[in-house]
Amino acid sequence: MKRPTAAEIATRKGAAFPVITAYDAPFSRCAEEAGIDVILVGDSLGMVVLGFDSTVHVELGDMIRHGAAVARGTQRAHIMVDLPFGTYEASDELAIASSSELVKRGAATSVKLEGGASAAARICAIAGAGIPVCAHIGVLPQTASLGSGFRLKRERDRLLADADAVAAAGAFAVVLEMVEDSIAAEITARIPIPTIGIGSGPGCDGQVLVLHDVLGLYPDAPPFAKRYAELGAATTNALRAYAGDVRARAFPAERAKATREGNGYRS
Ligand code: KIV
């Protein structure tokens, strides 16, 4: 089975489809096995994996490295990769060069960038170069701490104008982050491309969450995220048990030695 194309995802308008972030081979493989065929390699990478306090420290090389790992871990998923802060805003040329690099290095089947009407020219340029683009409006994490803010977005006219602009510019889908529920539903009914909501209520087409929030691996998850597992606690417990076994000389055991000598190592 092939990876779904952006054009195929665009036909999911009206369908409720799941999107999840992932940043490496093992977790993206889990996502694919769970039947999720759109994976976002988000620049949330900066916080949930790399330990930064915001996304602005993420570089294009980080996204190439992690997008390519997701590509190696999957066979049937569309891989949407965030263009990080500073890699697309300055010019159409820069936006095309950054997007092409992600595609050439096998890291992305589409790119995502932040911004509404102000990003329309970049969306048009990247899409014009043949690279599918997903837009992202509402809360814009890359500039939120610089002034655009993390609060729920309720400026209806501005949000509708942003949604219209990114759809007209050629985006194949748009993420709505922290957009007031009724406005998100209005946008979803209004524009021809799928909306993918995060903290924007049930009226969007798709929904996206950050993997580490879903799995209980990130302590500062936003209130709208739902935890489906407690892998942080499970990991700590497993490592505590391992450390205890080593200290008690309960691991490795004689049986493990025999197995190693008989079977070799990982092949
Ligand atoms: O970087 C990311 O994970 C995102 C989601 C919050 C949509 O952009």
Side-chain angles (χ1 to χ4, degrees):
M1 211 174 122
K2 281 181 28 231
R3 298 181 189 276
T5 61
E8 199 275 317
I9 294 164
T11 66
R12 297 184 188 181
K13 183 79 197 162
F17 60 96
V19 180
I20 191 74
T21 71
Y23 317 91
D24 61 21
F27 277 125
S28 53
R29 194 175 301 124
C30 292
E32 194 172 73
E33 280 169 14
I36 299 177
D37 68 357
V38 184
I39 294 179
L40 169 64
V41 186
D43 60 358
S44 49
L45 167 77
M47 280 109 76
V48 301
V49 175
L50 301 179
F52 292 118
D53 61 357
S54 84
T55 59
V56 299
H57 311 287
V58 177
E59 295 177 8
L60 190 63
D62 297 321
M63 302 312 293
I64 291 170
R65 173 69 85 187
H66 286 271
V70 170
R72 288 190 292 272
T74 56
Q75 289 164 340
R76 302 182 303 278
H78 181 96
I79 304 169
M80 184 194 295
V81 178
D82 265 338
L83 287 169
F85 181 67
T87 67
Y88 62 94
E89 301 89 334
S91 68
D92 290 351
E93 291 72 22
L94 178 65
I96 294 170
S98 301
S99 306
S100 312
E101 197 60 17
L102 283 163
V103 173
K104 269 197 299 204
R105 303 281 293 273
T109 35
S110 67
V111 300
K112 175 167 84 59
L113 56 70
E114 294 185 8
S118 63
R122 302 291 174 267
I123 292 169
C124 192
I126 298 168
I131 300 172
V133 195
C134 178
H136 182 148
I137 66 173
V139 165
L140 307 178
Q142 292 176 359
T143 50
S145 57
L146 304 173
S148 68
F150 283 101
R151 297 172 81 88
L152 186 70
K153 299 296 178 193
R154 304 170 182 278
E155 303 90 351
R156 180 175 169 277
D157 292 349
R158 159 105 193 258
L159 288 161
L160 295 185
D162 280 342
D164 288 345
V166 300
F172 72 91
V174 56
V175 168
L176 307 183
E177 179 159 354
M178 288 278 283
V179 172
E180 193 276 324
D181 292 16
S182 68
I183 301 173
E186 186 178 353
I187 290 172
T188 301
R190 175 184 174 99
I191 61 174
I193 57 173
T195 58
I196 303 172
I198 176 162
S200 299
C204 300
D205 296 307
Q207 295 288 334
V208 60
L209 281 176
V210 169
L211 178 77
H212 289 55
D213 297 339
V214 169
L215 298 183
L217 282 168
Y218 187 64
D220 293 325
F224 57 74
K226 181 170 173 186
R227 270 191 194 205
Y228 287 85
E230 295 295 341
L231 294 200
T235 304
T236 305
N237 287 339
L239 295 179
R240 194 174 282 130
Y242 160 68
D245 279 358
V246 171
R247 290 189 184 108
R249 297 201 184 282
F251 176 87
E254 283 301 307
R255 191 170 50 79
K257 179 166 181 267
T259 309
R260 193 180 64 226
E261 284 172 358
N263 296 344
Y265 181 66
R266 276 200 187 146
S267 62

